Amino acid sequence: MKILVTNDDGPFSPGLAILREAVKGLGEAITVVPETPKSATGLGLTLHKPLRVNRITSNDDFIYLVSGTPSDVIYIAMNVISGKPDLVVSGINIGDNLSVQVILTSGTIGAVLQAAIEGVPGIAFSAAVDSPEELEEGEYRNFILRVTRLVTRIAIEEGLPKGVDALNVNFPPIIANEVVITKPAVKRFSTSVVKRKDPQGKPYYWLYGSPIEAEKGTDVHAVLEEGKIAITPLSISNVFSSVPVSIENLVNKIRMELKKQS
Amino acid sequence: MKILVTNDDGPFSPGLAILREAVKGLGEAITVVPETPKSATGLGLTLHKPLRVNRITSNDDFIYLVSGTPSDVIYIAMNVISGKPDLVVSGINIGDNLSVQVILTSGTIGAVLQAAIEGVPGIAFSAAVDSPEELEEGEYRNFILRVTRLVTRIAIEEGLPKGVDALNVNFPPIIANEVVITKPAVKRFSTSVVKRKDPQGKPYYWLYGSPIEAEKGTDVHAVLEEGKIAITPLSISNVFSSVPVSIENLVNKIRMELKKQS
C-alpha cells in the first residue's frame, strides 16, 4: 500500500503534520507538497513553465517540495518521485472544503480529483477552523488525528466502492462523534470585492467571500450547523454526465439554422 | 441582455477577437479578460494577493484586463466593472476543451462554471486547433465566427433549459456542419513528465500530455475522430450529486469503530 500524502497549504502546515502522523504504519507513505501555499488553485496545472523539485527533512523522513500546484504534485510524484500510489490523502486543510463552489476551487480537493482522473482513489481532509494554531495541539488536534487515521485505515481495508473515486471529509470546528454522508451545497460564500488604494493612490482589489446561510441537507449544514463529521463521495466519471434535462430542443434549433446557412 | 466576454488566453488571442465579433449586436457586450494567458488554471481564484484592473482600447471599444485568473475575472467584472451579466461567453480557446480531465482544468470553462455558481448561464467555445494563427483568417475563421454567433443567438433567444448551467462547445479542426450533443470522456491525455537540465546542471521538469485513444460516444471522439461540432451541457448543482453507489457500508464501519473509541 503506497500512500501519497499531499496538501495545498505547503510543508509547514500543522495539518500536514497531523496527516503524516495519521497514516504512519498504514502503508509506505511518501509526502510531496507544493513548496508554497496554493489554496484555491482548484485542479490548475502548470504547463507554461517548468517545475522544480526539492526536498527537506522532517522527523527523520523527507518532504518533497514541488514549485507548482497540488495537481502538479500528483503528476510529479507519480512520474518522478515515487511511481503511481495506491491512495492519495490530502490535507488536513486549514478551513473547510464544503459546497460545489469550494470543492471545485480547492487545491486540497484538486489533488485528489486529479489523482482520480489517473485512476488513483483519494481522501481529502479539511477542518473547519480559522487558523493553523487550532491544529497545533490539544484535544481537538487529537480528535482530528484519531478520526483521520480511522477513516484512512477503513478506506484501505474496505476499498472505495466502484464508482466512488474520492471522499471529501470535513471536520466540524468542535470535537464530534457523529459521521454523516452528505451532498454538497452549490454555494458556501457570497463573493464580494473590496477596493483599496495603494500608497500611490492607485486602486487594487481583494476578492472576499462572506458565508451565506446553510441549506438543510447539505454538507455545509451538517458540518457548520449540526457539528457533525461529513463525508461526501466524489465521482469523476459522473461529474458532468448527470445533467437533468435534455438540450435536444436547443440543439435542433441550431441544427436547423446551420442547415439554412450551408 | 448584458453579455460578459472573457477567455483564458488573454487580450491578444485571435479567439477573443472572433468571440467579440460574434456577439456584436446580440446585446450589450463587455470584455474582461486575464491580462496574461491563464490556461489550465481551472476554477482557481486569487485570494492571497490583491488584483489590479487596467483597460486597453481595441476596435473603438475597451478590453478590461485583470491581473488574475478567469474565475477572478468573473467576480471583478460583476462587482467592479459591469454588474451581474445575463450571459457569459468564454473563448474562443486555442485548443479543444474535451473530457472531464480538461474541462475541470480549463480556465476557459472555469470562467463559465464560476459564473454558473453565481447563477449566470455561460457558453464556453473552444477550437481544436494547434496554434493561434489558424484562427487569424480564412474560411475556417469564418466558420467558427458564424457558428459561435448562431449558438450564442439561439441560446439567448431560447434560454438554457432549467438544470443546464452552461454549454461547452468544441469545434473540430475542420469546417463542419453537424452538431452533436455529447458526454465528456473521463480522460483525454496521458500525462508524462520530461526531465531536463538547466545550464547549471540542475534538473527541471515539464508536465506534458500525450493524447490517448478516444472512446466512441464521447466528446473527444465526436470532435477529433468524427469531425463534428460537439455541445456538452454542464450542470453545477448535479456535479457531485450523482455518485452511482452508496458509501453507507464504509461509513457504518467508521461509525462502529468511532463508537468503540469514545
Side-chain angles (χ1 to χ4, degrees):
Chain A
M1 175 56 55
K2 203 186 280 182
I3 305 171
L4 173 60
V5 180
T6 191
N7 75 357
D8 76 351
D9 289 323
F12 307 116
S13 168
L16 183 67
I18 298 178
L19 190 54
R20 280 162 54 80
E21 196 177 331
V23 302
K24 204 165 271 180
L26 298 181
E28 178 199 341
I30 183 149
T31 304
V32 189
V33 297
E35 69 184 4
T36 55
K38 293 286 174 192
S39 293
T41 53
L43 279 83
L45 286 171
T46 305
L47 301 175
H48 63 291
K49 62 178 184 184
L51 298 166
R52 297 283 190 169
V53 180
N54 287 293
R55 71 181 190 195
I56 55 176
T57 304
S58 172
N59 290 335
D60 297 328
D61 191 12
F62 294 126
I63 295 179
Y64 291 86
L65 308 177
V66 175
S67 63
T69 65
S71 286
D72 294 335
V73 161
I74 297 300
Y75 292 108
I76 291 288
M78 278 176 44
N79 287 281
V80 177
I81 300 173
S82 61
K84 200 165 180 168
D86 301 299
L87 178 71
V88 172
V89 291
S90 182
I92 292 164
N93 193 61
I94 309 296
D96 65 78
N97 277 310
L98 298 163
S99 82
V100 171
Q101 181 185 37
V102 177
I103 288 173
L104 288 179
T105 306
S106 159
T108 305
I109 299 179
V112 302
L113 291 180
Q114 201 69 251
I117 289 166
E118 295 302 315
V120 178
I123 315 175
F125 296 95
S126 310
V129 295
D130 291 325
S131 71
E133 289 71 27
E134 296 176 61
L135 290 186
E136 274 171 6
E137 54 185 348
E139 280 301 299
Y140 183 73
R141 182 189 194 277
N142 290 343
F143 152 67
I144 301 280
L145 171 63
R146 181 167 54 83
V147 180
T148 297
R149 185 172 174 84
L150 175 60
V151 171
T152 306
R153 179 169 63 74
I154 289 178
I156 290 171
E157 284 169 8
E158 303 290 322
L160 299 188
K162 202 172 151 56
V164 175
D165 299 307
L167 302 179
N168 180 26
V169 180
N170 280 271
F171 296 107
I174 49 163
I175 294 171
N177 283 309
E178 207 172 330
V179 183
V180 286
I181 303 169
T182 44
K183 288 190 177 193
V186 171
K187 224 174 138 171
R188 159 112 172 69
F189 295 106
S190 162
T191 306
S192 54
V193 175
V194 176
K195 181 178 179 173
R196 294 192 179 159
K197 287 198 172 171
D198 69 19
Q200 296 183 37
K202 291 191 176 147
Y204 63 93
Y205 302 90
W206 283 103
L207 294 193
Y208 177 71
S210 320
I212 59 174
E213 207 185 326
E215 216 180 311
K216 267 188 190 173
T218 64
D219 58 348
V220 183
H221 199 274
V223 172
L224 301 181
E225 300 297 325
E226 300 163 41
K228 294 171 182 168
I229 303 164
I231 304 187
T232 301
L234 304 177
S235 167
I236 269 293
S237 47
N238 288 275
V239 73
F240 289 119
S241 301
S242 57
V243 174
V245 296
S246 163
I247 58 166
E248 198 73 42
N249 282 343
L250 190 77
V251 171
N252 277 340
K253 291 226 162 67
I254 295 169
R255 284 177 181 137
M256 272 169 51
E257 299 227 16
L258 253 186
K259 215 170 185 178
K260 272 192 243 163
Q261 285 183 3
S262 58
Chain B
M1 175 57 56
K2 203 186 281 181
I3 305 171
L4 172 60
V5 180
T6 192
N7 75 356
D8 76 351
D9 289 323
F12 307 116
S13 168
L16 183 67
I18 298 178
L19 189 55
R20 280 161 54 82
E21 197 177 331
V23 302
K24 205 166 268 178
L26 299 181
E28 180 200 338
I30 183 147
T31 304
V32 189
V33 297
E35 69 184 4
T36 55
K38 293 286 175 192
S39 293
T41 52
L43 279 84
L45 286 171
T46 305
L47 302 176
H48 63 291
K49 62 179 184 184
L51 298 166
R52 297 283 191 170
V53 180
N54 288 294
R55 72 183 189 194
I56 55 176
T57 304
S58 172
N59 291 333
D60 298 329
D61 191 12
F62 294 126
I63 296 180
Y64 290 86
L65 309 177
V66 175
S67 62
T69 65
S71 286
D72 294 334
V73 161
I74 297 300
Y75 292 108
I76 291 288
M78 279 177 42
N79 287 282
V80 177
I81 300 173
S82 61
K84 200 165 178 169
D86 301 299
L87 177 72
V88 172
V89 291
S90 182
I92 293 163
N93 194 62
I94 310 295
D96 65 78
N97 277 311
L98 298 163
S99 82
V100 171
Q101 181 185 38
V102 177
I103 288 172
L104 287 179
T105 307
S106 160
T108 304
I109 299 178
V112 302
L113 291 181
Q114 201 68 251
I117 289 166
E118 295 301 314
V120 178
I123 315 175
F125 295 95
S126 310
V129 295
D130 291 326
S131 71
E133 290 72 25
E134 296 175 61
L135 290 186
E136 272 170 6
E137 55 186 349
E139 280 300 299
Y140 183 73
R141 181 189 194 279
N142 290 343
F143 151 67
I144 301 280
L145 171 62
R146 182 168 54 83
V147 180
T148 298
R149 185 172 175 82
L150 175 59
V151 171
T152 307
R153 180 169 61 75
I154 289 178
I156 290 171
E157 285 168 10
E158 303 290 322
L160 299 187
K162 202 172 149 57
V164 176
D165 300 307
L167 302 179
N168 180 27
V169 180
N170 280 272
F171 295 107
I174 50 164
I175 294 172
N177 284 309
E178 207 171 331
V179 184
V180 286
I181 302 169
T182 44
K183 288 190 177 192
V186 171
K187 223 175 140 173
R188 159 114 171 69
F189 294 107
S190 162
T191 307
S192 52
V193 175
V194 177
K195 181 179 179 173
R196 293 192 179 159
K197 288 198 172 170
D198 70 19
Q200 296 184 36
K202 290 189 177 149
Y204 63 92
Y205 303 90
W206 283 104
L207 294 194
Y208 177 72
S210 319
I212 59 175
E213 207 184 328
E215 216 180 310
K216 268 190 190 169
T218 65
D219 58 348
V220 183
H221 199 274
V223 172
L224 301 181
E225 299 298 325
E226 300 161 41
K228 293 172 183 167
I229 303 163
I231 305 187
T232 302
L234 303 178
S235 167
I236 270 291
S237 47
N238 289 275
V239 73
F240 289 119
S241 301
S242 58
V243 174
V245 295
S246 163
I247 58 166
E248 199 71 44
N249 283 343
L250 190 77
V251 171
N252 277 339
K253 292 226 162 67
I254 295 169
R255 285 175 180 138
M256 272 169 50
E257 300 227 14
L258 255 187
K259 215 167 184 181
K260 271 192 244 163
Q261 285 182 3
S262 57

